[in-house]
DNA sequence: CGTCTTTGACCAGCGC
DNA sequence: GCGCTGGTCAAAGACG
């Protein structure tokens, strides 16, 4: 739950649009809760987005877009999109990608979690090394297929740019 | 004080 | 017709 809260706490995600969460539901096919978002940049924008953790690997987020934006990306947001505050939505496709791939699913790579020490993706006591390698193979397979997509390069560039421009400040605790 | 998130309740569609 | 499931609404609380 806390991870989901983390996921949904950021309103401006890196697809350049502003989203408002209006619901959350646990679906049958995926134990991870699915969150429902609406575009809040334009009151009449019919676009909806469903965000759910990928069942194959919960480090990844899957965002499904429904509809088409009837407005442009806010320039300020669109620009800050490259250097937006780091959120777990990192790796979203660029605004252009989102528009051209309307009515299609977009995969959002959760890059921040990959570096999270809290993530328990290492082989645990009940997670054999073989199983771990199996999962790793699946991920690599998925990555290989994704990297063939030219849009992925754009998304990756945006994600890398954001991580560079938003280097964590030295926190004094 | 205004905005946003959370979450339980409600509704509609679909399969049996 | 009934039950299940996905999607949406709306009230309450949290936060800046």
């Amino acid at each position: 739950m806390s991870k989901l809260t983390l996921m949904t706490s950021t309103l401006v995600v890196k697809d350049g649009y502003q989203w408002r969460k209006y619901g959350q539901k646990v679906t049958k096919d995926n134990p991870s809760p699915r969150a429902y978002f609406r575009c809040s940049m334009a009151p009449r924008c019919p676009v909806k987005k469903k965000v759910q953790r990928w069942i194959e690997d919960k480090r990844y987020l899957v965002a499904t877009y429904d509809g088409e934006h009837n407005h442009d990306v806010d320039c300020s947001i669109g620009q800050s999109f490259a250097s937006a505050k780091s959120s777990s939505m990192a790796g979203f496709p660029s605004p252009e990608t989102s528009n051209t791939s309307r009515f299609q699913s977009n995969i959002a790579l959760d890059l921040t979690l990959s570096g999270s020490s809290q993530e328990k993706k290492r082989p645990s006591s009940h997670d054999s090394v073989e199983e771990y390698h199996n999962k790793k193979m699946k991920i690599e397979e998925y990555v290989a297929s994704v990297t063939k997509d030219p849009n992925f390069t754009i998304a990756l560039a945006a994600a890398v740019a954001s991580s560079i421009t938003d280097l964590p400040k030295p926190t004094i605790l």
Side-chain angles (χ1 to χ4, degrees):
Chain A
M1 191 61 181
S2 58
K3 280 183 184 174
L4 185 77
T5 306
L6 195 82
M7 174 181 89
T8 57
S9 61
T10 306
L11 190 62
V12 179
V13 297
K14 296 192 178 183
D15 53 2
Y17 293 94
Q18 197 170 1
W19 301 93
R20 169 177 289 189
K21 186 178 181 180
Y22 66 89
Q24 179 176 305
K25 199 85 173 182
V26 177
T27 55
K28 192 184 175 184
D29 57 323
N30 193 333
S32 301
R34 176 184 294 171
Y36 300 91
F37 294 88
R38 265 193 206 128
C39 181
S40 62
M41 283 176 65
R44 297 195 176 189
C45 183
V47 178
K48 281 174 273 187
K49 186 169 78 171
K50 288 175 277 189
V51 177
Q52 190 172 27
R53 292 209 174 273
W54 189 26
I55 192 168
E56 294 287 322
D57 190 326
K58 292 192 171 79
R59 287 177 300 176
Y60 300 100
L61 294 169
V62 180
T64 307
Y65 290 82
D66 290 330
E68 193 175 2
H69 292 280
N70 58 9
H71 59 91
D72 292 330
V73 182
D74 188 305
C75 290
S76 57
I77 294 177
Q79 286 173 358
S80 63
F81 142 72
S83 59
K85 285 183 178 179
S86 182
S87 76
S88 49
M89 297 291 209
F92 263 74
S94 68
E96 292 80 11
T97 313
S98 304
N99 284 334
T100 52
S101 62
R102 59 182 183 268
F103 305 122
Q104 291 181 1
S105 299
N106 291 318
I107 305 297
L109 302 179
D110 191 351
L111 299 177
T112 56
L113 282 179
S114 62
S116 168
S117 57
Q118 294 175 347
E119 197 60 32
K120 301 170 186 172
K121 264 298 161 188
R122 268 160 265 175
S124 58
S125 54
H126 52 276
D127 206 4
S128 71
V129 179
E130 279 185 20
E131 198 173 355
Y132 173 70
H133 281 298
N134 224 351
K135 288 177 182 176
K136 200 177 171 185
M137 285 288 285
K138 280 185 180 177
I139 296 169
E140 286 174 358
E141 205 174 291
Y142 165 70
V143 169
S145 64
V146 167
T147 48
K148 288 174 186 171
D149 188 346
N151 290 334
F152 175 77
T153 312
I154 301 169
L156 183 63
V160 171
S162 69
S163 61
I164 292 173
T165 56
D166 194 45
L167 285 172
K169 296 170 190 170
T171 52
I172 303 168
L173 294 174

